[in-house]
Amino acid sequence: LGMGDSEEHSMLLCNYFNFIDRDQGRQKMNPKDPAKKFDINSYIIFGEAIPNGECWFVARIDMKEIKSKDPSVELWNPMNGECYSFGANNDDPVCPLKKIWLIVGQENVWANVQPDEIPSLIVWDIENPKLWAPFLDKERKEAHYKGGV
């Protein structure tokens, strides 16, 4: 115990958040309460932080707000447990993550292809292929995940 890098810690933290959110009914796939007003999902983020350089963080995004101009996003540093909030006119200026290149989710991996890499300036709509290029398109997903994801 006490070992591991940001990649390993981010995988553990992301899966922990997704488990808790499913259990508490905060994800739409949970049949406990389909009328919930939120749908929170966690993702692993790859980017650049100061002073660490290349590293991994965890993003918690309310997917029901993702199409809005300023969705609520939390970025978690998996190495120390610090949380930085973005969106809703609340961009955390002390967040060490300065660039975001990649988002890893349960169903896909998305590359940031928009002009901005700074967390406070990027658009978080991962469903928009003009902003986030998916690794698996619909045909590839169907070919590799015949039973569905």
Side-chain angles (χ1 to χ4, degrees), residues 1-145:
L1 228 48
M3 303 294 283
D5 59 12
S6 66
E7 181 180 4
E8 293 157 338
H9 284 244
S10 65
M11 284 185 224
L12 288 170
L13 184 60
C14 182
N15 285 316
Y16 176 72
F17 282 148
N18 280 325
F19 172 80
I20 295 296
D21 289 334
R22 260 194 300 276
D23 186 62
Q24 298 297 314
R26 292 186 289 250
Q27 287 186 351
K28 69 179 175 184
M29 66 181 71
N30 190 319
K32 288 181 183 177
D33 189 359
K36 287 283 186 188
K37 298 267 189 250
F38 42 81
D39 179 20
I40 299 177
N41 286 310
S42 296
Y43 299 90
I44 300 170
I45 303 288
F46 180 60
E48 184 178 332
I50 295 176
N52 305 74
E54 291 181 358
C55 64
W56 299 81
F57 272 58
V58 174
R60 290 174 46 78
I61 305 171
D62 189 340
M63 299 308 288
K64 289 195 176 178
E65 293 182 0
I66 203 70
K67 299 285 185 193
S68 74
K69 191 173 186 176
D70 203 17
S72 297
V73 177
E74 294 175 353
L75 296 179
W76 288 77
N77 183 337
M79 300 305 287
N80 60 18
E82 291 181 2
C83 177
Y84 307 95
S85 297
F86 291 87
N89 299 317
N90 183 27
D91 295 337
D92 197 330
V94 297
C95 179
L97 188 63
K98 300 303 180 191
K99 296 180 181 179
I100 295 177
W101 301 318
L102 194 72
I103 293 181
V104 180
Q106 296 176 27
E107 299 179 9
N108 215 334
V109 176
W110 297 270
N112 183 0
V113 293
Q114 54 196 297
D116 294 310
E117 298 174 324
I118 301 168
S120 61
L121 299 177
I122 66 171
V123 177
W124 292 93
D125 183 6
I126 59 174
E127 296 173 357
N128 185 340
K130 292 180 182 176
L131 302 173
W132 295 95
F135 178 70
L136 296 175
D137 58 18
K138 190 172 184 170
E139 294 80 31
R140 285 184 178 159
K141 280 174 96 172
E142 289 173 358
H144 294 286
Y145 300 107

